[in-house]
Amino acid sequence: MKFSTQNGCLIPEKLLPPGQEYSSDPLPISRIEHLPEAPSINPNYPYNKDLQKLLSGKQLLLDDVPYSLQDIQAHYENGYLIYRKSIELEKNVPTCVRCGNQKKHLFASFHCARCQETCVYCRKCIMMGRTSSCSPLISWTGPSIPIEINKEPLDWKGTLSVGQGVASEAVVDAVHQTDSLLVWAVCGAGKTEVLFKGINAALLEGKRVCLATPRTDVVLELSPRLKKVFPTIPVATLHGGSEDRHLFAPLTIATTHQLLRFYQAFDVVFLDEVDAFPYSVEETLQYCVEKARKPLSSIIYLTATPNEKWRKECKSGKRRFITIPARFHRHSLTVPRFVWCGNWQKRLKKGKLPPNVERWIKERIEAEQRALLFFPRIELMDQVLPILKKINPKIEAVHAEDPKRKEKVQAMRDKEVPMLLTTTILERGVTFPKLDVAVIGSEDRIFTESALVQIAGRVGRSSDFPSGTITFFHYGKTDAMVKARRQILAMNKEARVRKLIDD
């Protein structure tokens, strides 16, 4: 699409009356060096409230807005929405405004049927619709939609542990003070419950809230829980293909990818699993989380395994944080055992397992003790599976691309599978009561300190079965292994000092 300017307004080329002269020739929006200021709001204009709900706190492409160009332009000219560039061109170097991409190899060009010129588009965020040099982003500038909560929205009869309670009050304070906070909570500490009062406080203050997480399965797990404890308010659940895509709600639960569509929308953002892939390595996702926040807003990060930089900032006082070093059931975290198993890959090529690994497996099968066995790579896991099926044919393996992944995990929950072989896909987000865990090849670089702490966190999560074993089988200790064990010991020490555990 091309735009011309007339009397300080952008006008789409399609809406220009024929035969008239204009102050500028029509150009793709990215090639207009200085966009006119947004027109002033006309308070007498009867704006479309459905369009207001669609665009409030969003930045959408024209294709995502199911209204005529004439309607959109009328709202623009009366000050209720703006056109923004989706691709910024600085000395012909593109930047994607929506996702922040500046990497040259992630842009491409094509002959555009809309503007009849060569357009640059961003490949990085194309799954959310194509941003190109002639495509505007549309955002609402009219009256905001008030968050009106007429009665206490939180309906939860549960109780918090002492550690949870302290963290919960810190979260509420961060919401009241429009501050940032890191909640550093051990695996199984009950982070979600810690958020309830903070979300409640924000809603009562008329603030719009988002709970974001990198993974779809976490969104699907959290959505029914939050809808249950906040039964009187609309809750939008956003992930790839979700039906709530255009729902305006006081509380939004979303994958971080979905925040690409938001712009200065939220007064409070809770970012769960801040250390998890892909958020931890994707600058685009970090950019879009910041962009989805209002300029004056709170952000509360949640993780069991903050990276080393954040830990240093916590210790030096540069980052505000609160720890929950103990689980709600008041039992200490299980400390990993390091067990040398020799050159296990060499033995595997001969169709054999190290004797101590095989003994560990057989002991659990004979005792009917369920177990998870982690591997660094799929192909290694696939070599081991036939060996283990000779011991017990019900043993299964699972990985991210497994089409039966959900069924196998559920079978493990239903106690139909005695032992599940897995990659790091199950390092977080799953709970199986009464479980032992082992890592084969824990020296592999894929097993970072964070991954090993999370894997260890699968053990002892249930109050009925708060113990279990976690074994790191290795062909040489690594810094990651040592640091993971040290972190777990430090949390147990802090929990004892604060009298949050009984053992």
Side-chain angles (χ1 to χ4, degrees):
M1 177 183 291
K2 291 183 178 180
F3 287 86
S4 182
T5 56
Q6 179 71 12
N7 300 323
C9 283
L10 288 170
I11 302 176
E13 184 179 28
K14 291 182 179 180
L15 299 183
L16 293 172
Q20 292 189 23
E21 292 187 3
Y22 296 93
S23 55
S24 69
D25 292 329
L27 290 171
I29 191 166
S30 292
R31 286 179 50 201
I32 300 174
E33 189 171 352
H34 300 292
L35 297 182
E37 292 186 11
S40 300
I41 288 182
N42 173 9
N44 299 317
Y45 180 72
Y47 65 88
N48 186 321
K49 292 190 175 181
D50 289 333
L51 184 59
Q52 177 194 32
K53 290 178 182 177
L54 175 69
L55 288 177
S56 288
K58 296 279 188 70
Q59 52 177 9
L60 299 182
L61 298 167
L62 273 173
D63 291 343
D64 294 325
V65 183
Y67 293 91
S68 70
L69 187 58
Q70 288 83 355
D71 283 344
I72 293 169
Q73 181 66 15
H75 279 78
Y76 163 75
E77 291 179 0
N78 284 279
Y80 287 81
L81 58 80
I82 57 169
Y83 299 112
R84 297 167 55 238
K85 300 177 183 181
S86 64
I87 302 288
E88 290 274 8
L89 296 173
E90 183 70 32
K91 296 181 180 178
N92 288 324
V93 177
T95 298
C96 180
V97 173
R98 184 171 65 182
C99 75
N101 172 38
Q102 294 180 314
K103 295 177 180 176
K104 189 175 180 181
H105 71 280
L106 291 176
F107 289 95
S109 60
F110 68 107
H111 181 74
C112 179
R114 289 179 173 175
C115 69
Q116 298 300 316
E117 295 189 16
T118 298
C119 261
V120 173
Y121 73 94
C122 177
R123 296 168 52 221
K124 181 77 173 176
C125 60
I126 196 167
M127 70 286 190
M128 308 295 283
R130 186 172 62 196
T131 59
S132 64
S133 35
C134 79
S135 302
L137 291 170
I138 304 173
S139 298
W140 186 256
T141 53
S144 59
I145 301 174
I147 304 298
E148 296 177 342
I149 306 296
N150 298 319
K151 63 177 182 177
E152 187 85 9
L154 179 61
D155 182 12
W156 184 61
K157 302 299 189 293
T159 57
L160 299 175
S161 69
V162 175
Q164 286 176 308
V166 172
S168 177
E169 292 306 314
V171 169
V172 171
D173 185 63
V175 169
H176 287 322
Q177 300 299 323
T178 317
D179 203 352
S180 65
L181 176 71
L182 168 65
V183 178
W184 181 356
V186 298
C187 298
K191 295 192 299 293
T192 305
E193 290 80 4
V194 166
L195 305 184
F196 289 168
K197 288 185 179 179
I199 295 172
N200 189 64
L203 294 172
L204 287 173
E205 291 180 8
K207 294 180 175 180
R208 192 176 179 192
V209 179
C210 176
L211 174 53
T213 180
R215 300 187 301 141
T216 299
D217 51 352
V218 177
V219 169
L220 295 174
E221 178 197 343
L222 289 176
S223 179
R225 293 176 66 186
L226 288 172
K227 286 179 178 179
K228 184 177 181 180
V229 297
F230 292 101
T232 60
I233 64 165
V235 178
T237 303
L238 303 180
H239 54 86
S242 64
E243 296 179 358
D244 293 350
R245 181 176 167 185
H246 296 312
L247 174 65
F248 180 92
L251 175 58
T252 296
I253 307 164
T255 60
T256 46
H257 281 91
Q258 291 296 317
L259 297 188
L260 283 164
R261 290 196 174 96
F262 287 86
Y263 177 69
Q264 297 185 1
F266 302 108
D267 301 283
V268 181
V269 174
F270 295 94
L271 186 56
D272 193 17
E273 296 194 331
V274 68
D275 63 301
F277 179 86
Y279 179 85
S280 59
V281 297
E282 275 282 1
E283 292 179 1
T284 289
L285 297 180
Q286 297 165 21
Y287 168 89
C288 71
V289 167
E290 289 300 317
K291 184 174 49 59
R293 298 170 56 193
K294 290 182 179 178
L296 188 62
S297 58
S298 305
I299 184 162
I300 291 91
Y301 302 98
L302 301 109
T303 181
T305 48
N307 61 38
E308 192 169 349
K309 177 176 178 289
W310 282 33
R311 293 203 299 269
K312 287 181 179 178
E313 290 175 356
C314 291
K315 290 177 182 177
S316 66
K318 292 181 180 179
R319 181 176 292 277
R320 186 184 174 196
F321 75 104
I322 189 78
T323 58
I324 311 177
R327 290 168 169 168
F328 65 94
H329 54 50
R330 300 186 63 85
H331 288 264
S332 58
L333 303 171
T334 304
V335 179
R337 287 193 314 131
F338 296 170
V339 177
W340 187 81
C341 64
N343 192 340
W344 61 278
Q345 292 195 56
K346 185 176 181 180
R347 291 187 68 90
L348 195 56
K349 288 177 181 178
K350 299 177 182 179
K352 297 180 180 180
L353 287 170
N356 51 3
V357 174
E358 188 173 351
R359 186 164 54 250
W360 186 95
I361 292 166
K362 286 182 176 179
E363 286 174 355
R364 270 109 196 124
I365 295 298
E366 290 168 3
E368 297 184 352
Q369 168 65 42
R370 288 188 300 161
L372 280 178
L373 199 53
F374 284 83
F375 288 83
R377 289 183 295 283
I378 296 172
E379 62 269 21
L380 295 170
M381 184 175 70
D382 288 343
Q383 289 177 46
V384 171
L385 183 60
I387 301 172
L388 298 193
K389 278 191 173 289
K390 293 177 183 177
I391 299 172
N392 188 315
K394 291 184 178 180
I395 293 174
E396 292 288 355
V398 69
H399 55 85
E401 303 303 320
D402 189 338
K404 295 183 179 179
R405 171 184 161 191
K406 290 182 179 179
E407 291 87 342
K408 290 177 180 178
V409 171
Q410 188 58 48
M412 181 74 174
R413 287 197 174 99
D414 295 338
K415 301 181 181 180
E416 296 169 4
V417 172
M419 183 175 293
L420 191 59
L421 281 56
T422 180
T423 59
T424 53
I425 190 65
L426 294 186
E427 75 177 38
R428 62 179 79 215
V430 293
T431 297
F432 304 111
K434 199 177 180 183
L435 187 75
D436 284 348
V437 173
V439 180
I440 305 297
S442 56
E443 74 280 357
D444 194 280
R445 64 181 180 180
I446 198 169
F447 293 121
T448 61
E449 176 189 355
S450 169
L452 291 171
V453 170
Q454 290 285 352
I455 288 169
R458 299 311 97 202
V459 176
R461 297 172 70 90
S462 168
S463 56
D464 294 330
F465 304 100
S467 60
T469 64
I470 169 68
T471 306
F472 293 167
F473 289 108
H474 66 91
Y475 186 36
K477 293 179 187 178
T478 63
D479 284 345
M481 292 166 59
V482 173
K483 287 179 179 178
R485 189 173 187 272
R486 186 183 300 153
Q487 186 180 151
I488 292 167
L489 288 168
M491 282 296 185
N492 281 341
K493 182 179 179 181
E494 182 183 342
R496 289 190 182 96
V497 170
R498 291 171 55 182
K499 299 181 179 179
L500 298 178
I501 56 177
D502 300 322
D503 58 358

